[in-house]
Structure formats: C-alpha cells, structure tokens
Amino acid sequence: MALKNQYLADLLETVKKRNPGEPEFIQAVTEVFMSLEPVAEKRPDLVEAGVFERIVEPERQIIFRVPWVDDNGVQRVNRGFRIEFNSAIGPYKGGLRLHPSVYLGIIKFLGFEQIFKNSLTTLPMGGGKGGSDFDPKGKSDGEVMRFCQSFMTELCKHIGPDTDVPAGDIGTGAREIGYMFGQYKRIRNEFTGVLTGKGLTFGGSLARTQATGYGLCYYANEMLKANGKSFEGQTVVISGSGNVAIYATEKATELGAKVVAMSDSNGYIYDENGIDLAVVKQLKEVERKRIKEYLNFHPEAKYTEGCKGIWTIPCDIALPCATQNEVDAESAKTLAANGCYALCEGANMPSTPEAIDVYFENNMLYGPAKAANAGGVAVSGLEMSQNSERLSWTFEDVDNRLKNIMKEIFKSCDEASKEYGMEGNYMAGANIAGFLKVAEAMKAQGCV
Ligand code: NDP
C-alpha cells in the first residue's frame, strides 16, 4: 500500500535516498508513516514544527572498532554501534544486540521503534539502540569477556545514567551485561545505573528477566479480553527459545494455555503434550545448547530443521519471539487457514508488511511489537528508578507495576485507534499514541 498523504510520501522518498542499503530501517519508517497519515492531516502544527523530518533522523550515530584477542592469541575485530535516536522525553534507552547479522540498518530500525515503544510505557525514556556483529555463540567465557570489555572501553565515552542507558537484546544476557558493567565501573570509577538488566547482586531489578515475556502475555491478555477471548485452554506456538520466548511460555502456561512449539535458529520442536519448560530453561539458560536436544528428554516430541515450518503448526494464538521478519505472508496465510485468530509480537518487527496485511484481511487480532514487547524496557525504567533511590523493590511490586503498565499500553493503543477512526487496529493505535507524546515534547523544545 502506498502513502496517500503527499507530505509523508515525499518525506519517505527523502528518507530512502538518505539511508541507502538499510531495508529494515525503511520498513520501520514506512509502517509508522502509514499509521501517522491521519495525524499529519489533523495536526498541521506538528508538520510546521518539522517534527516528522526530525524524528526520522537520529540525533547521534556512533560507529566504532572493537578489537579483542581470542583464545588462540589471534587479534579479532568487530564493529560496534550506538544510535542515540531521540532524547525528547528522557535519556536514550534501548538494548545492545550481539549477532552476526548486525549492521547500521538493523540498529537504526530498532532505535527508531524504541522511540515509540518507550513513549508508550509512560516512563521518561528516549529511544536508542546499539550492538555489534560479534557472535557470542561458540565463544568461551574469556572471549566474551574480552569482547565486552573492549566494546565498553569505547561505549563508556558516550553513555551515562542521565544520558544513555543501554540494556540487553539478542545475544546480550546477564553474563554480557555483567562484563560491560564491570568495565564501565572500572574506567569511570563510579557505581551508577548506567546499564539495565544487571545481576541482582549489583543493582538489577527483580522481574527484569521475566519482564518482556510476561509483559507480552499481559498485553495479549488485555487484547484477548477486549475481544471476548482469553488464554484459557488455547493452543499457542512461540518461536525462539531465548529470554523473551522462555518467559512468554511460562506466563502463557500460567494463564491456562498450552504452548506446543518453540524454536532456535536451527529448527523447532513440537510437543503436543505441551512444552516442558524446565528442560528448555536447562538447555538454553544453563547449558547454552541447541533446542534439538529437547528430544533427549522427550523422545515423543518432534524436531524439524529450519525455522519457518513452525508457523504450519495449528494454533489459536501465535507469539513470534525470535527475530525480525520471521513471519512472511505465506506463513501468515497458513496460520490464518489453520485457525489462528490472534498474533502478538514478542520480537521486534517479526512480521513482514505483507504478513500484517494478511492478519487484517483475516480479521486476526494483531498486537504490534512496540506495544506488546514494551514490558522489558518498562521494567528497565523501573530498574533505573530503583538505582536512583538506591532501593530494590520486591518481585510482586515490580510485577504488579508491569501488569498495570501493559494494561495502560493496551488502553492507549485501543483509544488512539478509536480516536483516529481505525478501531481495532492496535498497530495504528500504538504508532499514533507513541508518536504524539514525543512529538509534543519535540515541538515544545523548539528546533533542536
Ligand atoms: P535471545 O538472544 O535471548 O534469544 C533469541 C532467540 O531467537 C533464540 O532462540 C535465537 O536462536 C532466535 N534467533 C535469533 N536470531 C535468529 C534468526 N536470525 N533466525 C531464527 N532465530 C533466531 O534474545 P531475546 O529473547 O532477548 O530477544 C528476542 C527478540 O525479542 C528480539 O527481536 C529482541 O529484539 C526482542 N526484544 C527483547 C527484549 C528483551 O528484554 N530481551 C525486549 C524487547 C524486545 P539461536 O540461539 O539459535 O540464535
């Protein structure tokens, strides 16, 4: 679908010319612009204030060399990124992705999405994202530590508890955050909440590990409730078996659903009796093994090589929790044909634009990532608050706040979709509600 609003259509052309070779970033901007057409019509003051032009241009882009020495004494070099996209409503905030597919376009798409997601949480956080093309898989602890120390040696010049507060993402879990925090503290000689997702012994928040997966299910639950449905007795397929997927599986099961499939980048398991999460946690969180090994514990389950087939498993609710563009139009059509009526995104931008069209054509309930997976950054915001007051809250306290935040996020998506004449389109609702708060702040702060 093409943009009808001429101003936004022209601006999108400029964005394409100015950011060549970055399809994921263009995809993210296009999706947001599609939703913002009625805003551009209704709010000429925001157009005049140049908000649309400014919001698609990162405030700062940092690219740096990350040299480190492997276990054989060989010098290796990776590329590090930090995109400080928008600080209108708070310090830059967003995770660090460590994956061989990382390049500027991926970090820019993630940073752009983060602006709206952070705004939706109602907490004062701007948008940022970073990472490296370093692959922690198959590396020793020593190699990961040397990489993280080298990465932070440069990154520490640009971040700070009131400036820019990174967190985890794909490939960056508690181990990596620990090494990075240690190096920051050593170089800067200060103990501050400069990173979130920290270990519980040095300023981490209870429930941060669970936050994105739990938050996803809280959001999905609100969406289901608003449409007369619930998780109770439903069959659920969840892609990925990392941080988000594991805790989405835990919460969906707690809410009465049966999760029958999970995956990693090699393939997927199907267990019609319901996934044994204790086994997945042991394999993934403790032993860092492949999902295939699940069969050693449950030989009755099935393993299939390749990721895409997971969407051919019949289910009521699908929760993609692995990576961008993992659900294409063909997979979306198969899901709908097999009776899947709701899809809620744990990963960032897991659906291609064509897949999203299929959801709407089939009247599926669609919970977009920037709203549905905002629980992680919301609890990161709560970790920042606890660090500032040098206190730690109980698990129940943080979990209750998370639940309320996810409820409020769903409410703002729902209300914005109604106000702008697109009832039930939570993607448009999320983009509009997230955008408006940042846009008002940018307008009020003048041309900066
Ligand atoms: P993890 O690294 O813990 O897990 C990622 C999972 O996805 C793994 O099972 C991994 O398999 C799989 N995966 C990664 N890349 C690919 C790929 N190219 N193709 C197929 N499978 C892949 O990451 P998270 O769980 O933290 O993140 C998952 C998604 O959720 C990402 O999109 C992330 O941006 C998003 N997200 C995460 C948040 C958080 O708090 N952690 C917050 C908000 C969003 P393998 O191990 O084989 O690589």
Side-chain angles (χ1 to χ4, degrees):
M1 274 211 301
L3 284 161
K4 290 187 228 42
N5 180 286
Q6 199 52 49
Y7 165 73
L8 288 179
D10 292 346
L11 181 52
L12 184 60
E13 282 313 304
T14 308
V15 173
K16 285 180 185 168
K17 281 201 198 97
R18 204 178 251 177
N19 302 278
E22 297 175 8
E24 297 85 0
F25 177 55
I26 302 302
Q27 182 182 336
V29 173
T30 307
E31 186 222 279
V32 170
F33 276 13
M34 297 295 287
S35 303
L36 293 183
E37 286 192 292
V39 180
E41 306 284 341
K42 205 168 161 180
R43 294 292 306 272
D45 58 313
L46 297 178
V47 174
E48 254 168 56
V51 167
F52 294 90
E53 275 95 344
R54 287 189 281 138
I55 209 164
V56 292
E57 188 65 26
E59 289 176 18
R60 194 170 298 106
Q61 310 190 42
I62 303 148
I63 304 181
F64 50 97
R65 181 169 69 195
V66 189
W68 56 281
V69 178
D70 72 17
D71 287 348
N72 299 318
V74 177
Q75 300 224 10
R76 310 276 288 263
V77 177
N78 285 98
R79 185 171 283 180
F81 300 90
R82 187 69 185 166
I83 304 298
E84 298 182 331
F85 222 117
N86 194 297
S87 62
I89 63 168
Y92 310 105
K93 180 91 197 87
L96 297 170
R97 177 172 293 192
L98 299 183
H99 194 271
S101 63
V102 163
Y103 78 104
L104 185 60
I106 292 275
I107 301 298
K108 274 167 70 178
F109 113 67
L110 289 163
F112 182 68
E113 292 283 287
Q114 200 80 40
I115 304 170
F116 310 102
K117 181 188 306 196
N118 293 3
S119 160
L120 284 169
T121 66
T122 70
L123 303 173
M125 298 182 290
K129 198 83 189 186
S132 171
D133 56 1
F134 173 79
D135 188 358
K137 247 185 270 155
K139 304 285 190 305
S140 69
D141 279 352
E143 289 176 323
V144 171
M145 182 176 76
R146 290 193 291 280
F147 167 82
C148 288
Q149 290 178 339
S150 177
F151 184 79
M152 185 50 84
T153 300
E154 176 61 31
L155 189 68
C156 77
K157 299 170 190 163
H158 311 283
I159 62 176
D162 296 315
T163 314
D164 183 355
V165 184
D169 190 74
I170 291 181
T172 307
R175 173 181 63 170
E176 290 74 17
I177 292 287
Y179 293 148
M180 289 184 198
F181 182 78
Q183 183 74 349
Y184 181 89
K185 186 169 63 64
R186 185 177 186 201
I187 296 179
R188 301 284 290 259
N189 195 24
E190 57 182 38
F191 195 112
T192 50
V194 67
L195 290 162
T196 58
K198 298 185 290 299
L200 294 176
T201 51
F202 54 98
S205 173
L206 284 161
R208 175 62 187 91
T209 306
Q210 292 81 358
T212 309
Y214 278 22
L216 169 67
C217 292
Y218 295 147
Y219 183 94
N221 206 29
E222 290 302 309
M223 181 174 81
L224 293 170
K225 263 198 317 202
N227 292 278
K229 312 250 186 211
S230 84
F231 269 112
E232 192 60 49
Q234 304 298 283
T235 300
V236 177
V237 165
I238 296 185
S239 62
S241 49
N243 174 261
V244 181
I246 285 177
Y247 292 95
T249 302
E250 185 162 286
K251 186 52 72 178
T253 309
E254 222 178 282
L255 292 171
K258 182 161 83 168
V259 179
V260 294
M262 293 181 86
S263 62
D264 61 20
S265 56
N266 291 106
Y268 63 92
I269 46 162
Y270 171 52
D271 187 341
E272 61 180 354
N273 301 318
I275 294 286
D276 181 345
L277 192 59
V279 167
V280 176
K281 280 187 178 178
Q282 178 66 24
L283 289 174
K284 289 293 176 180
E285 293 187 329
V286 183
E287 298 174 19
R288 298 180 192 276
K289 289 201 168 138
R290 309 312 298 159
I291 197 84
K292 188 180 183 176
E293 313 244 356
Y294 185 88
L295 297 196
N296 298 339
F297 300 83
H298 290 282
E300 73 285 4
K302 290 191 186 80
Y303 174 76
T304 309
E305 280 289 327
C307 305
K308 211 181 147 186
I310 194 170
W311 308 119
T312 62
I313 299 171
C315 64
D316 303 301
I317 301 167
L319 304 176
C321 294
T323 194
Q324 64 275 354
N325 291 328
E326 53 171 313
V327 188
D328 60 13
E330 191 194 337
S331 301
K333 281 181 195 156
T334 309
L335 280 167
N338 286 337
C340 174
Y341 64 82
L343 183 140
C344 217
E345 299 178 333
N348 282 310
M349 207 167 76
S351 310
T352 64
E354 296 77 22
I356 297 173
D357 290 342
V358 174
Y359 308 151
F360 288 123
E361 280 156 23
N362 286 277
N363 293 319
M364 284 168 66
L365 300 174
Y366 169 50
K370 60 173 72 69
N373 74 19
V377 75
V379 172
S380 277
L382 301 179
E383 182 173 329
M384 289 164 75
S385 303
Q386 294 170 77
N387 292 164
S388 298
E389 58 177 25
R390 304 211 189 283
L391 287 173
S392 35
W393 306 338
T394 63
F395 187 96
E396 289 68 31
D397 189 0
V398 179
D399 190 34
N400 279 330
R401 288 174 195 250
L402 169 65
K403 215 175 284 173
N404 286 333
I405 289 172
M406 298 316 293
K407 235 184 218 180
E408 285 307 311
I409 294 178
F410 176 74
K411 202 165 144 225
S412 357
C413 297
D414 191 31
E415 285 174 0
S417 77
K418 287 175 183 154
E419 190 185 335
Y420 282 84
M422 291 178 276
E423 183 164 354
N425 182 341
Y426 306 122
M427 174 180 78
N431 286 330
I432 293 170
F435 171 80
L436 280 174
K437 179 176 169 190
V438 179
E440 301 291 3
M442 288 175 74
K443 184 184 162 201
Q445 290 168 27
C447 185
V448 290

